[in-house]
Amino acid sequence: MATSEAILQVLLPHHHRSDLCTNNLNSVHKIKANVNNTRIKSPVSMQVHSCSRISQNRRRVYGLRSRDGVYHEKTNVGRLESMGCKCQRDEGVSGLTAEDQNETWFKGKASRPTSIPVNGTSSAPSIEEYEDEVGTTKDRLDKGRANVIEDEAWNFLRNSIVYYCNNPVGTIAANDPSNISILNYDHVFIRDFIPSGIAFLLKGEYDIVRNFILHTLQLQSWEKTMDCYSPGQGLMPASFKVRTVPLDGDSSATEDILDPDFGEAAIGRVAPVDSGLWWIILLRAYGKYSGDLSLQERVDVQTGIKMILKLCLADGFDMFPTLLVTDGSCMIDRRMGIHGHPLEIQALFYSALLGAREMLASEDGSADLIRALNNRLVALSFHIREYYWIDMRKINEIYRYKTEEYSYDAVNKFNIYPDQIPSWLVEFMPSKGGYLIGNLQPAHMDFRFFSLGNLWSIISSLATLEQSHAILDLIEAKWAELVADMPFKICYPALEGQEWQIITGSDPKNTPWSYHNGGSWPTLLWQLTVACIKMNRPEVALKAVEVAERRISLDKWPEYYDTKRARFIGKQARLYQTWSIAGYLVAKLLLANPSAAKILVNEEDSELENAFSCMISANPRRKRGRRRQRFII
């Protein structure tokens, strides 16, 4: 035992809490002395309109005060300091500090009986006792280190909070003090806030999520134009930023405004199709976990849901039930060849439709919308499950496809040429497992594995039960390719050579195995965790979390990682990326309380299953009839 005690003293690290929060507090006190105190105070209210001001010379803006009188974008205020820092530690984050945990652990060790000397000689531990002792030590050290990482993550997450009218309304995308090029990383992004919002919900902090939902809803109705053209009213912004401007009529005072970006200022000028879908998903999660259904029952919220649905369900020229979008309209927001009908958008679309159906109030004015919604759900699920799914059997079927079939009962409906099957796919596809392809268009199948689309297809039940298990089987079989040294590959494989040049336009940020082109994104941990919990396979997510914990904190919470095995921090990755932090926290919280995952999961109801079965039994390759059959639930 003396030997094992000595080993403990060497192995056990002495963790120290970061002084970041304390330093920020001192900085905030110094800043307060320099802030203009003549600013007019506006009353605090949960009603968005109570904080509003209307300017004649610019777009409508909403006045606000930052928390504790510390205003954003003052000349002498740093970004981290202006967001406000909760230096008083929240007791709900962790019951013990790192020092407390170490102290308790030592006390536990000190109270254990040591070996009794026999004839003046200490009895040495057996090999089995020694191995058990070392194994227990390692387990406790790993657990203690994980607790310290969680505490650090919560500190960084709280430091990223943005305040509006003295209320928290979101978190900035990144808080990297080492990067002087801010771009739009100081914005509150809709998609980026989702893991932050889920983390706060799981900690019982509902206000920030409620405020975020209401303020982004207010921004939905803003006028949005680019080159004299306006998109549909239901479009939600990609992000918004809190800005400080002089108060009208009083040069000695200032006010803060919310400035949204609907894509008219984004790189590439692409509208964020996924923002409205994520907004509905978060709204449903808020109601399920907080029990506050009054928010989704509000007239303005019901109107917001309907506007998003009408925009998504609008008739067009497309023959498919999938949403037709441009490149860069979702998490992959740069040119990556996903234009058309990308899986990620379809999975979020399906989840949002199911969530909206739950939340829409039953009234005469909603009957037609609900009917259209139900019809789309059946058609969308059939289309994705039938035509996007591939496994070894399906690949062999495509390999033997006949082409140029002109008939209503064609087998190769989309005229896919067998030569499109890439050589890497035959090696990548395991004998047990499969996945949903990234995109499907006439004469084109994008065989790349897109992680978010596949994971959310499991969560939303867009994939069948068998397909969902097969996707997780593939992830386990291809762990070295999809996880390796840091979870999780955003897509696999990367575009390289001439293919990269043509499809990305030689994008210097999306070089092979970097950023969206095969980079590894820690934020995907939380989607992986929800999917694994739903399929009762949490050990897969736990293994991925343990991989991330080895280095994510040491690497300062990067946005993404580069190389095939995620060995390098991304060459242009921001550090202290908020959704990397929040994604890790959500994964840990859900693994500790798996039942909470139900706020994000969609279970397929029996009516949808029956309608889908009817479509299968009716033979999807049947000849065209005189009247089109509809499925109304």
Side-chain angles (χ1 to χ4, degrees), residues 5 22 25 31 38 49 74 93 111 114 122 197 220 237 299 313-315 344 378 381 409 458 494 506 625:
E5 291 289 346
T22 305
L25 180 61
I31 292 167
T38 61
H49 288 289
K74 293 290 187 180
V93 175
S111 62
T114 58
S122 297
Q220 182 191 39
V299 175
L313 296 173
D315 292 331
E344 177 180 332
V378 176
S381 62
D409 57 353
I458 296 174
S506 300

Side-chain angles (χ1 to χ4, degrees), residues 4 54 128 203 212 245 335 391 419 480 508 513 544 554 576 596:
S4 59
I54 299 179
E128 291 79 7
K203 293 295 286 186
F212 173 85
V245 298
R335 183 176 162 189
D391 52 18
D419 288 344
W513 306 107
L554 297 174
Y576 305 106

Side-chain angles (χ1 to χ4, degrees), residues 67 74 89 95 106 162-163 170 192 260 312 400 465 559:
R67 187 168 180 251
K74 293 290 187 180
R89 178 182 170 85
F106 272 122
V162 178
Y163 291 86
D192 290 39
C312 294
R400 294 171 55 82
L465 185 66
E559 180 182 11

